[in-house]
Amino acid sequence: GAVVSQHPSRVICKSGTSVKIECRSLDFQATTMFWYRQFPKQSLMLMATSNEGSKATYEQGVEKDKFLINHASLTLSTLTVTSAHPEDSSFYICSARKRDRGTETQYFGPGTRLLVL
Amino acid sequence: GQQLNQSPQSMFIQEGEDVSMNCTSSSIFNTWLWYKQDPGEGPVLLIALYKAGELTSNGRLTAQFGITRKDSFLNISASIPSDVGIYFCAGADTGRRALTFGSGTRLQVQP
């Protein structure tokens, strides 16, 4: 199997603070991880692609200085929401890409629910 | 940009019925994936399809990768209450590693 974990599962913070979310691939190495955001009753929206050892690639409209991504190892990517505001409240989900015998599949973490007061 | 049209948006069925949902794309994908998402959880991979025309089963679930590489369907046979959730299709191509997601099909099963 392929297991991806996220921590924390939920976080409540005050406006203006920074929040760090961790995404780990537990039983495989992932050179590429992805960060998504999901609003209620909507599909997943890709925020950025996290590449091990290099800069992340952000989707149009996503502020790279606000959503800092670090992919320092083959099993860990972090997303830091800097100076969070209420409009940043959402469900953040990461995924990790697994390569296996010429095929590629993405496995998702359980998500992190962020509430900014 | 790429778009995935997923239908139906929602379904309300009786336990034991079969379910079918599909996705169509305006462009070609090399991989089709089907996920299920429960409330407050991340998507869980159900079936992965890598070849045009491929038909793959996972228990009561069956999915096919369309010959044109622009569509895929997912069938659930003999539905049970735990099938309740949101089902997403997702496509990937070689040029863009990130997945493109469908809008989801919300399934409700009446016991």
Side-chain angles (χ1 to χ4, degrees):
Chain A
V3 181
V4 177
S5 70
Q6 271 184 251
H7 177 79
S9 58
R10 58 180 62 212
V11 57
I12 301 174
C13 69
K14 293 181 179 180
S15 184
T17 61
S18 294
V19 175
K20 179 185 283 189
I21 303 171
E22 293 186 349
C23 178
R24 293 180 186 273
S25 55
L26 298 184
D27 52 358
F28 66 99
Q29 293 182 332
T31 56
T32 305
M33 292 184 175
F34 303 91
W35 287 96
Y36 295 83
R37 182 165 50 183
Q38 186 179 34
F39 292 105
K41 297 186 177 181
Q42 293 187 20
S43 189
L44 286 76
M45 297 298 295
L46 179 67
M47 298 176 65
T49 301
S50 172
N51 302 298
E52 188 268 337
S54 64
K55 292 182 179 180
T57 304
Y58 291 82
E59 295 299 298
Q60 190 173 6
V62 178
E63 300 175 55
K64 63 179 181 179
D65 294 330
K66 181 168 182 63
F67 298 99
L68 301 179
I69 291 173
N70 185 284
H71 194 154
S73 78
L74 290 173
T75 59
L76 173 64
S77 175
T78 61
L79 168 69
T80 301
V81 183
T82 62
S83 186
H85 288 95
E87 59 265 29
D88 297 324
S89 299
S90 188
F91 192 50
Y92 292 86
I93 311 173
C94 72
S95 71
R97 191 179 74 192
K98 180 180 181 182
R99 291 177 170 173
D100 184 20
R101 285 171 284 186
T103 63
E104 296 183 0
T105 306
Q106 282 191 35
Y107 294 91
F108 285 84
T112 297
R113 186 163 301 282
L114 171 63
L115 177 61
V116 185
L117 302 177
Chain B
Q2 294 174 324
Q3 290 186 334
L4 280 185
N5 297 308
Q6 185 171 349
S7 64
Q9 286 188 331
S10 63
M11 302 181 72
F12 189 96
I13 62 172
Q14 296 292 319
E15 182 177 2
E17 291 184 2
D18 297 341
V19 173
S20 184
M21 58 193 78
N22 69 86
C23 277
T24 58
S25 169
S26 57
S27 55
I28 290 173
F29 287 113
N30 293 317
T31 300
W32 282 94
L33 304 169
W34 285 92
Y35 293 88
K36 182 192 177 194
Q37 186 177 27
D38 291 327
E41 301 288 334
V44 174
L45 181 66
L46 299 174
I47 292 179
L49 303 161
Y50 302 107
K51 295 180 181 179
E54 180 181 355
L55 182 70
T56 298
S57 294
N58 178 9
R60 293 179 295 107
L61 278 62
T62 302
Q64 184 160 32
F65 192 148
I67 289 291
T68 65
R69 295 163 65 191
K70 292 184 177 182
D71 63 297
S72 176
F73 72 75
L74 174 71
N75 288 340
I76 305 173
S77 63
S79 60
I80 58 178
S82 61
D83 290 333
V84 167
I86 302 176
Y87 292 80
F88 289 101
C89 64
D93 61 28
T94 54
R96 175 178 163 84
R97 296 303 185 184
L99 296 176
T100 300
F101 277 87
S103 54
T105 295
R106 186 180 297 272
L107 178 63
Q108 293 178 286
V109 180
Q110 178 70 37

PDB file of all heavy atoms in Angstrom, chain B residues 24-61:
ATOM      1  N   THR B  24     -15.877  13.072 -18.540  1.00  0.00           N
ATOM      2  CA  THR B  24     -15.402  13.336 -19.893  1.00  0.00           C
ATOM      3  C   THR B  24     -14.461  14.529 -19.865  1.00  0.00           C
ATOM      4  O   THR B  24     -14.597  15.418 -19.014  1.00  0.00           O
ATOM      5  CB  THR B  24     -16.561  13.617 -20.866  1.00  0.00           C
ATOM      6  OG1 THR B  24     -17.302  14.740 -20.370  1.00  0.00           O
ATOM      7  CG2 THR B  24     -17.471  12.425 -20.985  1.00  0.00           C
ATOM      8  N   SER B  25     -13.535  14.517 -20.784  1.00  0.00           N
ATOM      9  CA  SER B  25     -12.523  15.556 -20.815  1.00  0.00           C
ATOM     10  C   SER B  25     -12.456  16.203 -22.185  1.00  0.00           C
ATOM     11  O   SER B  25     -12.778  15.589 -23.197  1.00  0.00           O
ATOM     12  CB  SER B  25     -11.166  14.950 -20.468  1.00  0.00           C
ATOM     13  OG  SER B  25     -10.127  15.861 -20.717  1.00  0.00           O
ATOM     14  N   SER B  26     -12.005  17.427 -22.206  1.00  0.00           N
ATOM     15  CA  SER B  26     -11.804  18.121 -23.470  1.00  0.00           C
ATOM     16  C   SER B  26     -10.447  17.771 -24.070  1.00  0.00           C
ATOM     17  O   SER B  26     -10.171  18.112 -25.222  1.00  0.00           O
ATOM     18  CB  SER B  26     -11.901  19.638 -23.263  1.00  0.00           C
ATOM     19  OG  SER B  26     -10.959  20.062 -22.288  1.00  0.00           O
ATOM     20  N   SER B  27      -9.607  17.103 -23.285  1.00  0.00           N
ATOM     21  CA  SER B  27      -8.285  16.733 -23.780  1.00  0.00           C
ATOM     22  C   SER B  27      -7.938  15.315 -23.336  1.00  0.00           C
ATOM     23  O   SER B  27      -8.644  14.712 -22.537  1.00  0.00           O
ATOM     24  CB  SER B  27      -7.233  17.725 -23.288  1.00  0.00           C
ATOM     25  OG  SER B  27      -7.266  17.822 -21.884  1.00  0.00           O
ATOM     26  N   ILE B  28      -6.858  14.816 -23.874  1.00  0.00           N
ATOM     27  CA  ILE B  28      -6.452  13.440 -23.617  1.00  0.00           C
ATOM     28  C   ILE B  28      -5.708  13.309 -22.294  1.00  0.00           C
ATOM     29  O   ILE B  28      -4.899  14.164 -21.938  1.00  0.00           O
ATOM     30  CB  ILE B  28      -5.542  12.951 -24.775  1.00  0.00           C
ATOM     31  CG1 ILE B  28      -6.363  12.774 -26.043  1.00  0.00           C
ATOM     32  CG2 ILE B  28      -4.847  11.649 -24.418  1.00  0.00           C
ATOM     33  CD1 ILE B  28      -5.538  12.459 -27.264  1.00  0.00           C
ATOM     34  N   PHE B  29      -5.981  12.229 -21.563  1.00  0.00           N
ATOM     35  CA  PHE B  29      -5.234  11.897 -20.365  1.00  0.00           C
ATOM     36  C   PHE B  29      -4.561  10.540 -20.536  1.00  0.00           C
ATOM     37  O   PHE B  29      -5.063   9.673 -21.249  1.00  0.00           O
ATOM     38  CB  PHE B  29      -6.150  11.857 -19.140  1.00  0.00           C
ATOM     39  CG  PHE B  29      -6.600  13.207 -18.675  1.00  0.00           C
ATOM     40  CD1 PHE B  29      -7.926  13.581 -18.765  1.00  0.00           C
ATOM     41  CD2 PHE B  29      -5.685  14.101 -18.138  1.00  0.00           C
ATOM     42  CE1 PHE B  29      -8.338  14.829 -18.335  1.00  0.00           C
ATOM     43  CE2 PHE B  29      -6.092  15.346 -17.701  1.00  0.00           C
ATOM     44  CZ  PHE B  29      -7.426  15.715 -17.803  1.00  0.00           C
ATOM     45  N   ASN B  30      -3.445  10.353 -19.879  1.00  0.00           N
ATOM     46  CA  ASN B  30      -2.733   9.077 -19.911  1.00  0.00           C
ATOM     47  C   ASN B  30      -3.057   8.205 -18.713  1.00  0.00           C
ATOM     48  O   ASN B  30      -2.753   7.017 -18.711  1.00  0.00           O
ATOM     49  CB  ASN B  30      -1.225   9.315 -19.969  1.00  0.00           C
ATOM     50  CG  ASN B  30      -0.814   9.959 -21.274  1.00  0.00           C
ATOM     51  OD1 ASN B  30      -1.288   9.580 -22.346  1.00  0.00           O
ATOM     52  ND2 ASN B  30       0.032  10.956 -21.195  1.00  0.00           N
ATOM     53  N   THR B  31      -3.644   8.805 -17.707  1.00  0.00           N
ATOM     54  CA  THR B  31      -4.020   8.077 -16.496  1.00  0.00           C
ATOM     55  C   THR B  31      -5.366   8.596 -16.015  1.00  0.00           C
ATOM     56  O   THR B  31      -5.588   9.811 -16.012  1.00  0.00           O
ATOM     57  CB  THR B  31      -2.975   8.281 -15.375  1.00  0.00           C
ATOM     58  OG1 THR B  31      -1.693   7.817 -15.806  1.00  0.00           O
ATOM     59  CG2 THR B  31      -3.380   7.544 -14.113  1.00  0.00           C
ATOM     60  N   TRP B  32      -6.232   7.672 -15.647  1.00  0.00           N
ATOM     61  CA  TRP B  32      -7.492   8.037 -15.002  1.00  0.00           C
ATOM     62  C   TRP B  32      -7.516   7.394 -13.616  1.00  0.00           C
ATOM     63  O   TRP B  32      -7.180   6.221 -13.466  1.00  0.00           O
ATOM     64  CB  TRP B  32      -8.699   7.545 -15.804  1.00  0.00           C
ATOM     65  CG  TRP B  32      -9.038   8.372 -17.001  1.00  0.00           C
ATOM     66  CD1 TRP B  32      -8.621   8.173 -18.280  1.00  0.00           C
ATOM     67  CD2 TRP B  32      -9.885   9.531 -17.032  1.00  0.00           C
ATOM     68  NE1 TRP B  32      -9.149   9.128 -19.113  1.00  0.00           N
ATOM     69  CE2 TRP B  32      -9.928   9.981 -18.382  1.00  0.00           C
ATOM     70  CE3 TRP B  32     -10.610  10.232 -16.075  1.00  0.00           C
ATOM     71  CZ2 TRP B  32     -10.664  11.093 -18.770  1.00  0.00           C
ATOM     72  CZ3 TRP B  32     -11.345  11.333 -16.470  1.00  0.00           C
ATOM     73  CH2 TRP B  32     -11.362  11.761 -17.802  1.00  0.00           C
ATOM     74  N   LEU B  33      -7.923   8.179 -12.641  1.00  0.00           N
ATOM     75  CA  LEU B  33      -8.005   7.682 -11.274  1.00  0.00           C
ATOM     76  C   LEU B  33      -9.392   7.983 -10.719  1.00  0.00           C
ATOM     77  O   LEU B  33      -9.977   9.024 -11.024  1.00  0.00           O
ATOM     78  CB  LEU B  33      -6.933   8.348 -10.397  1.00  0.00           C
ATOM     79  CG  LEU B  33      -5.489   8.217 -10.883  1.00  0.00           C
ATOM     80  CD1 LEU B  33      -4.577   9.146 -10.092  1.00  0.00           C
ATOM     81  CD2 LEU B  33      -5.013   6.782 -10.753  1.00  0.00           C
ATOM     82  N   TRP B  34      -9.889   7.074  -9.929  1.00  0.00           N
ATOM     83  CA  TRP B  34     -11.153   7.297  -9.236  1.00  0.00           C
ATOM     84  C   TRP B  34     -10.914   7.261  -7.731  1.00  0.00           C
ATOM     85  O   TRP B  34     -10.286   6.333  -7.211  1.00  0.00           O
ATOM     86  CB  TRP B  34     -12.190   6.239  -9.624  1.00  0.00           C
ATOM     87  CG  TRP B  34     -12.763   6.464 -10.993  1.00  0.00           C
ATOM     88  CD1 TRP B  34     -12.311   5.948 -12.174  1.00  0.00           C
ATOM     89  CD2 TRP B  34     -13.896   7.291 -11.311  1.00  0.00           C
ATOM     90  NE1 TRP B  34     -13.096   6.398 -13.213  1.00  0.00           N
ATOM     91  CE2 TRP B  34     -14.067   7.224 -12.719  1.00  0.00           C
ATOM     92  CE3 TRP B  34     -14.773   8.079 -10.562  1.00  0.00           C
ATOM     93  CZ2 TRP B  34     -15.089   7.907 -13.375  1.00  0.00           C
ATOM     94  CZ3 TRP B  34     -15.782   8.760 -11.218  1.00  0.00           C
ATOM     95  CH2 TRP B  34     -15.935   8.677 -12.614  1.00  0.00           C
ATOM     96  N   TYR B  35     -11.417   8.302  -7.046  1.00  0.00           N
ATOM     97  CA  TYR B  35     -11.258   8.425  -5.605  1.00  0.00           C
ATOM     98  C   TYR B  35     -12.629   8.530  -4.942  1.00  0.00           C
ATOM     99  O   TYR B  35     -13.596   9.000  -5.536  1.00  0.00           O
ATOM    100  CB  TYR B  35     -10.470   9.688  -5.245  1.00  0.00           C
ATOM    101  CG  TYR B  35      -9.022   9.709  -5.669  1.00  0.00           C
ATOM    102  CD1 TYR B  35      -8.644  10.180  -6.928  1.00  0.00           C
ATOM    103  CD2 TYR B  35      -8.015   9.286  -4.809  1.00  0.00           C
ATOM    104  CE1 TYR B  35      -7.314  10.213  -7.313  1.00  0.00           C
ATOM    105  CE2 TYR B  35      -6.676   9.326  -5.181  1.00  0.00           C
ATOM    106  CZ  TYR B  35      -6.340   9.785  -6.435  1.00  0.00           C
ATOM    107  OH  TYR B  35      -5.018   9.830  -6.804  1.00  0.00           O
ATOM    108  N   LYS B  36     -12.658   8.132  -3.666  1.00  0.00           N
ATOM    109  CA  LYS B  36     -13.836   8.363  -2.833  1.00  0.00           C
ATOM    110  C   LYS B  36     -13.416   9.213  -1.643  1.00  0.00           C
ATOM    111  O   LYS B  36     -12.366   8.957  -1.032  1.00  0.00           O
ATOM    112  CB  LYS B  36     -14.431   7.045  -2.332  1.00  0.00           C
ATOM    113  CG  LYS B  36     -15.688   7.259  -1.490  1.00  0.00           C
ATOM    114  CD  LYS B  36     -16.084   5.981  -0.767  1.00  0.00           C
ATOM    115  CE  LYS B  36     -17.297   6.255   0.109  1.00  0.00           C
ATOM    116  NZ  LYS B  36     -17.543   5.189   1.087  1.00  0.00           N
ATOM    117  N   GLN B  37     -14.238  10.206  -1.326  1.00  0.00           N
ATOM    118  CA  GLN B  37     -13.935  11.068  -0.194  1.00  0.00           C
ATOM    119  C   GLN B  37     -15.096  11.051   0.781  1.00  0.00           C
ATOM    120  O   GLN B  37     -16.241  11.354   0.419  1.00  0.00           O
ATOM    121  CB  GLN B  37     -13.649  12.504  -0.650  1.00  0.00           C
ATOM    122  CG  GLN B  37     -13.189  13.409   0.476  1.00  0.00           C
ATOM    123  CD  GLN B  37     -12.842  14.815   0.004  1.00  0.00           C
ATOM    124  OE1 GLN B  37     -13.363  15.298  -0.988  1.00  0.00           O
ATOM    125  NE2 GLN B  37     -11.951  15.487   0.725  1.00  0.00           N
ATOM    126  N   ASP B  38     -14.798  10.698   2.022  1.00  0.00           N
ATOM    127  CA  ASP B  38     -15.777  10.782   3.094  1.00  0.00           C
ATOM    128  C   ASP B  38     -15.670  12.154   3.743  1.00  0.00           C
ATOM    129  O   ASP B  38     -14.612  12.789   3.680  1.00  0.00           O
ATOM    130  CB  ASP B  38     -15.539   9.691   4.132  1.00  0.00           C
ATOM    131  CG  ASP B  38     -15.854   8.305   3.572  1.00  0.00           C
ATOM    132  OD1 ASP B  38     -16.771   8.205   2.741  1.00  0.00           O
ATOM    133  OD2 ASP B  38     -15.172   7.342   3.965  1.00  0.00           O
ATOM    134  N   PRO B  39     -16.723  12.628   4.398  1.00  0.00           N
ATOM    135  CA  PRO B  39     -16.691  13.962   5.012  1.00  0.00           C
ATOM    136  C   PRO B  39     -15.520  14.132   5.974  1.00  0.00           C
ATOM    137  O   PRO B  39     -15.282  13.279   6.828  1.00  0.00           O
ATOM    138  CB  PRO B  39     -18.026  14.026   5.752  1.00  0.00           C
ATOM    139  CG  PRO B  39     -18.922  13.109   5.005  1.00  0.00           C
ATOM    140  CD  PRO B  39     -18.042  11.980   4.555  1.00  0.00           C
ATOM    141  N   GLY B  40     -14.776  15.217   5.801  1.00  0.00           N
ATOM    142  CA  GLY B  40     -13.676  15.511   6.696  1.00  0.00           C
ATOM    143  C   GLY B  40     -12.444  14.657   6.502  1.00  0.00           C
ATOM    144  O   GLY B  40     -11.536  14.700   7.340  1.00  0.00           O
ATOM    145  N   GLU B  41     -12.412  13.907   5.415  1.00  0.00           N
ATOM    146  CA  GLU B  41     -11.267  13.034   5.154  1.00  0.00           C
ATOM    147  C   GLU B  41     -10.649  13.370   3.811  1.00  0.00           C
ATOM    148  O   GLU B  41     -11.251  14.050   2.983  1.00  0.00           O
ATOM    149  CB  GLU B  41     -11.712  11.566   5.154  1.00  0.00           C
ATOM    150  CG  GLU B  41     -12.346  11.086   6.451  1.00  0.00           C
ATOM    151  CD  GLU B  41     -11.326  10.949   7.558  1.00  0.00           C
ATOM    152  OE1 GLU B  41     -10.137  10.747   7.261  1.00  0.00           O
ATOM    153  OE2 GLU B  41     -11.718  11.079   8.748  1.00  0.00           O
ATOM    154  N   GLY B  42      -9.436  12.855   3.591  1.00  0.00           N
ATOM    155  CA  GLY B  42      -8.836  13.007   2.282  1.00  0.00           C
ATOM    156  C   GLY B  42      -9.362  11.959   1.325  1.00  0.00           C
ATOM    157  O   GLY B  42      -9.925  10.950   1.742  1.00  0.00           O
ATOM    158  N   PRO B  43      -9.213  12.179   0.019  1.00  0.00           N
ATOM    159  CA  PRO B  43      -9.672  11.190  -0.966  1.00  0.00           C
ATOM    160  C   PRO B  43      -8.891   9.889  -0.836  1.00  0.00           C
ATOM    161  O   PRO B  43      -7.680   9.895  -0.612  1.00  0.00           O
ATOM    162  CB  PRO B  43      -9.385  11.871  -2.307  1.00  0.00           C
ATOM    163  CG  PRO B  43      -9.286  13.322  -1.996  1.00  0.00           C
ATOM    164  CD  PRO B  43      -8.702  13.395  -0.620  1.00  0.00           C
ATOM    165  N   VAL B  44      -9.609   8.786  -1.035  1.00  0.00           N
ATOM    166  CA  VAL B  44      -8.993   7.466  -0.990  1.00  0.00           C
ATOM    167  C   VAL B  44      -9.058   6.861  -2.389  1.00  0.00           C
ATOM    168  O   VAL B  44     -10.121   6.845  -3.008  1.00  0.00           O
ATOM    169  CB  VAL B  44      -9.721   6.556   0.019  1.00  0.00           C
ATOM    170  CG1 VAL B  44      -9.170   5.131  -0.050  1.00  0.00           C
ATOM    171  CG2 VAL B  44      -9.574   7.105   1.431  1.00  0.00           C
ATOM    172  N   LEU B  45      -7.936   6.380  -2.869  1.00  0.00           N
ATOM    173  CA  LEU B  45      -7.880   5.809  -4.207  1.00  0.00           C
ATOM    174  C   LEU B  45      -8.691   4.528  -4.283  1.00  0.00           C
ATOM    175  O   LEU B  45      -8.531   3.621  -3.470  1.00  0.00           O
ATOM    176  CB  LEU B  45      -6.424   5.534  -4.597  1.00  0.00           C
ATOM    177  CG  LEU B  45      -6.209   4.961  -6.003  1.00  0.00           C
ATOM    178  CD1 LEU B  45      -6.609   5.983  -7.070  1.00  0.00           C
ATOM    179  CD2 LEU B  45      -4.753   4.546  -6.194  1.00  0.00           C
ATOM    180  N   LEU B  46      -9.558   4.457  -5.303  1.00  0.00           N
ATOM    181  CA  LEU B  46     -10.378   3.271  -5.530  1.00  0.00           C
ATOM    182  C   LEU B  46      -9.799   2.423  -6.664  1.00  0.00           C
ATOM    183  O   LEU B  46      -9.593   1.224  -6.523  1.00  0.00           O
ATOM    184  CB  LEU B  46     -11.810   3.673  -5.879  1.00  0.00           C
ATOM    185  CG  LEU B  46     -12.576   4.467  -4.837  1.00  0.00           C
ATOM    186  CD1 LEU B  46     -13.919   4.910  -5.396  1.00  0.00           C
ATOM    187  CD2 LEU B  46     -12.757   3.668  -3.562  1.00  0.00           C
ATOM    188  N   ILE B  47      -9.617   3.067  -7.798  1.00  0.00           N
ATOM    189  CA  ILE B  47      -9.144   2.359  -8.988  1.00  0.00           C
ATOM    190  C   ILE B  47      -8.248   3.287  -9.790  1.00  0.00           C
ATOM    191  O   ILE B  47      -8.543   4.475  -9.919  1.00  0.00           O
ATOM    192  CB  ILE B  47     -10.323   1.888  -9.866  1.00  0.00           C
ATOM    193  CG1 ILE B  47     -11.122   0.794  -9.152  1.00  0.00           C
ATOM    194  CG2 ILE B  47      -9.838   1.366 -11.213  1.00  0.00           C
ATOM    195  CD1 ILE B  47     -12.315   0.281  -9.947  1.00  0.00           C
ATOM    196  N   ALA B  48      -7.168   2.726 -10.342  1.00  0.00           N
ATOM    197  CA  ALA B  48      -6.260   3.459 -11.214  1.00  0.00           C
ATOM    198  C   ALA B  48      -6.256   2.794 -12.583  1.00  0.00           C
ATOM    199  O   ALA B  48      -6.198   1.561 -12.684  1.00  0.00           O
ATOM    200  CB  ALA B  48      -4.855   3.479 -10.630  1.00  0.00           C
ATOM    201  N   LEU B  49      -6.327   3.591 -13.629  1.00  0.00           N
ATOM    202  CA  LEU B  49      -6.369   3.093 -15.010  1.00  0.00           C
ATOM    203  C   LEU B  49      -5.240   3.735 -15.795  1.00  0.00           C
ATOM    204  O   LEU B  49      -5.087   4.953 -15.779  1.00  0.00           O
ATOM    205  CB  LEU B  49      -7.717   3.442 -15.655  1.00  0.00           C
ATOM    206  CG  LEU B  49      -8.957   2.926 -14.925  1.00  0.00           C
ATOM    207  CD1 LEU B  49     -10.193   3.689 -15.370  1.00  0.00           C
ATOM    208  CD2 LEU B  49      -9.137   1.437 -15.192  1.00  0.00           C
ATOM    209  N   TYR B  50      -4.468   2.909 -16.504  1.00  0.00           N
ATOM    210  CA  TYR B  50      -3.278   3.422 -17.166  1.00  0.00           C
ATOM    211  C   TYR B  50      -3.261   3.232 -18.674  1.00  0.00           C
ATOM    212  O   TYR B  50      -2.403   3.783 -19.362  1.00  0.00           O
ATOM    213  CB  TYR B  50      -2.026   2.767 -16.566  1.00  0.00           C
ATOM    214  CG  TYR B  50      -1.872   2.986 -15.086  1.00  0.00           C
ATOM    215  CD1 TYR B  50      -2.092   1.951 -14.177  1.00  0.00           C
ATOM    216  CD2 TYR B  50      -1.523   4.233 -14.584  1.00  0.00           C
ATOM    217  CE1 TYR B  50      -1.951   2.168 -12.808  1.00  0.00           C
ATOM    218  CE2 TYR B  50      -1.380   4.451 -13.216  1.00  0.00           C
ATOM    219  CZ  TYR B  50      -1.603   3.408 -12.341  1.00  0.00           C
ATOM    220  OH  TYR B  50      -1.462   3.614 -10.992  1.00  0.00           O
ATOM    221  N   LYS B  51      -4.197   2.430 -19.207  1.00  0.00           N
ATOM    222  CA  LYS B  51      -4.189   2.158 -20.650  1.00  0.00           C
ATOM    223  C   LYS B  51      -5.574   2.378 -21.236  1.00  0.00           C
ATOM    224  O   LYS B  51      -6.582   1.985 -20.643  1.00  0.00           O
ATOM    225  CB  LYS B  51      -3.763   0.715 -20.918  1.00  0.00           C
ATOM    226  CG  LYS B  51      -2.341   0.389 -20.524  1.00  0.00           C
ATOM    227  CD  LYS B  51      -2.026  -1.069 -20.835  1.00  0.00           C
ATOM    228  CE  LYS B  51      -0.603  -1.414 -20.422  1.00  0.00           C
ATOM    229  NZ  LYS B  51      -0.285  -2.836 -20.698  1.00  0.00           N
ATOM    230  N   ALA B  52      -5.604   2.975 -22.434  1.00  0.00           N
ATOM    231  CA  ALA B  52      -6.871   3.175 -23.118  1.00  0.00           C
ATOM    232  C   ALA B  52      -7.553   1.830 -23.320  1.00  0.00           C
ATOM    233  O   ALA B  52      -6.926   0.860 -23.741  1.00  0.00           O
ATOM    234  CB  ALA B  52      -6.645   3.872 -24.451  1.00  0.00           C
ATOM    235  N   GLY B  53      -8.861   1.796 -23.004  1.00  0.00           N
ATOM    236  CA  GLY B  53      -9.619   0.575 -23.131  1.00  0.00           C
ATOM    237  C   GLY B  53      -9.561  -0.331 -21.923  1.00  0.00           C
ATOM    238  O   GLY B  53     -10.330  -1.294 -21.812  1.00  0.00           O
ATOM    239  N   GLU B  54      -8.702  -0.024 -20.975  1.00  0.00           N
ATOM    240  CA  GLU B  54      -8.531  -0.870 -19.790  1.00  0.00           C
ATOM    241  C   GLU B  54      -9.806  -0.912 -18.956  1.00  0.00           C
ATOM    242  O   GLU B  54     -10.425   0.121 -18.715  1.00  0.00           O
ATOM    243  CB  GLU B  54      -7.370  -0.336 -18.956  1.00  0.00           C
ATOM    244  CG  GLU B  54      -7.080  -1.115 -17.678  1.00  0.00           C
ATOM    245  CD  GLU B  54      -5.925  -0.510 -16.887  1.00  0.00           C
ATOM    246  OE1 GLU B  54      -5.298   0.460 -17.390  1.00  0.00           O
ATOM    247  OE2 GLU B  54      -5.644  -0.992 -15.790  1.00  0.00           O
ATOM    248  N   LEU B  55     -10.160  -2.093 -18.527  1.00  0.00           N
ATOM    249  CA  LEU B  55     -11.317  -2.302 -17.649  1.00  0.00           C
ATOM    250  C   LEU B  55     -10.789  -2.962 -16.388  1.00  0.00           C
ATOM    251  O   LEU B  55     -10.198  -4.042 -16.453  1.00  0.00           O
ATOM    252  CB  LEU B  55     -12.357  -3.174 -18.323  1.00  0.00           C
ATOM    253  CG  LEU B  55     -13.655  -3.453 -17.547  1.00  0.00           C
ATOM    254  CD1 LEU B  55     -14.488  -2.189 -17.449  1.00  0.00           C
ATOM    255  CD2 LEU B  55     -14.444  -4.568 -18.219  1.00  0.00           C
ATOM    256  N   THR B  56     -11.001  -2.324 -15.254  1.00  0.00           N
ATOM    257  CA  THR B  56     -10.437  -2.819 -14.000  1.00  0.00           C
ATOM    258  C   THR B  56     -11.506  -2.894 -12.926  1.00  0.00           C
ATOM    259  O   THR B  56     -12.348  -2.001 -12.828  1.00  0.00           O
ATOM    260  CB  THR B  56      -9.295  -1.900 -13.531  1.00  0.00           C
ATOM    261  OG1 THR B  56      -8.255  -1.899 -14.506  1.00  0.00           O
ATOM    262  CG2 THR B  56      -8.717  -2.370 -12.214  1.00  0.00           C
ATOM    263  N   SER B  57     -11.453  -3.947 -12.137  1.00  0.00           N
ATOM    264  CA  SER B  57     -12.407  -4.114 -11.049  1.00  0.00           C
ATOM    265  C   SER B  57     -11.699  -4.124  -9.706  1.00  0.00           C
ATOM    266  O   SER B  57     -10.546  -4.545  -9.598  1.00  0.00           O
ATOM    267  CB  SER B  57     -13.193  -5.418 -11.223  1.00  0.00           C
ATOM    268  OG  SER B  57     -14.020  -5.362 -12.364  1.00  0.00           O
ATOM    269  N   ASN B  58     -12.428  -3.668  -8.700  1.00  0.00           N
ATOM    270  CA  ASN B  58     -11.955  -3.685  -7.321  1.00  0.00           C
ATOM    271  C   ASN B  58     -13.169  -4.016  -6.466  1.00  0.00           C
ATOM    272  O   ASN B  58     -13.926  -3.139  -6.065  1.00  0.00           O
ATOM    273  CB  ASN B  58     -11.360  -2.330  -6.941  1.00  0.00           C
ATOM    274  CG  ASN B  58     -10.900  -2.299  -5.493  1.00  0.00           C
ATOM    275  OD1 ASN B  58     -10.871  -3.330  -4.818  1.00  0.00           O
ATOM    276  ND2 ASN B  58     -10.527  -1.126  -5.020  1.00  0.00           N
ATOM    277  N   GLY B  59     -13.385  -5.302  -6.233  1.00  0.00           N
ATOM    278  CA  GLY B  59     -14.584  -5.715  -5.503  1.00  0.00           C
ATOM    279  C   GLY B  59     -15.831  -5.416  -6.307  1.00  0.00           C
ATOM    280  O   GLY B  59     -15.972  -5.838  -7.452  1.00  0.00           O
ATOM    281  N   ARG B  60     -16.721  -4.618  -5.709  1.00  0.00           N
ATOM    282  CA  ARG B  60     -17.968  -4.272  -6.396  1.00  0.00           C
ATOM    283  C   ARG B  60     -17.806  -3.085  -7.350  1.00  0.00           C
ATOM    284  O   ARG B  60     -18.768  -2.672  -7.985  1.00  0.00           O
ATOM    285  CB  ARG B  60     -19.033  -3.940  -5.351  1.00  0.00           C
ATOM    286  CG  ARG B  60     -19.455  -5.136  -4.501  1.00  0.00           C
ATOM    287  CD  ARG B  60     -20.507  -4.747  -3.458  1.00  0.00           C
ATOM    288  NE  ARG B  60     -19.961  -3.805  -2.480  1.00  0.00           N
ATOM    289  CZ  ARG B  60     -20.260  -2.520  -2.440  1.00  0.00           C
ATOM    290  NH1 ARG B  60     -21.096  -2.002  -3.325  1.00  0.00           N
ATOM    291  NH2 ARG B  60     -19.726  -1.744  -1.524  1.00  0.00           N
ATOM    292  N   LEU B  61     -16.603  -2.563  -7.426  1.00  0.00           N
ATOM    293  CA  LEU B  61     -16.347  -1.409  -8.287  1.00  0.00           C
ATOM    294  C   LEU B  61     -15.690  -1.843  -9.596  1.00  0.00           C
ATOM    295  O   LEU B  61     -14.815  -2.702  -9.599  1.00  0.00           O
ATOM    296  CB  LEU B  61     -15.413  -0.422  -7.575  1.00  0.00           C
ATOM    297  CG  LEU B  61     -16.016   0.550  -6.587  1.00  0.00           C
ATOM    298  CD1 LEU B  61     -16.666  -0.156  -5.413  1.00  0.00           C
ATOM    299  CD2 LEU B  61     -14.948   1.514  -6.089  1.00  0.00           C
TER     300      LEU B  61
END
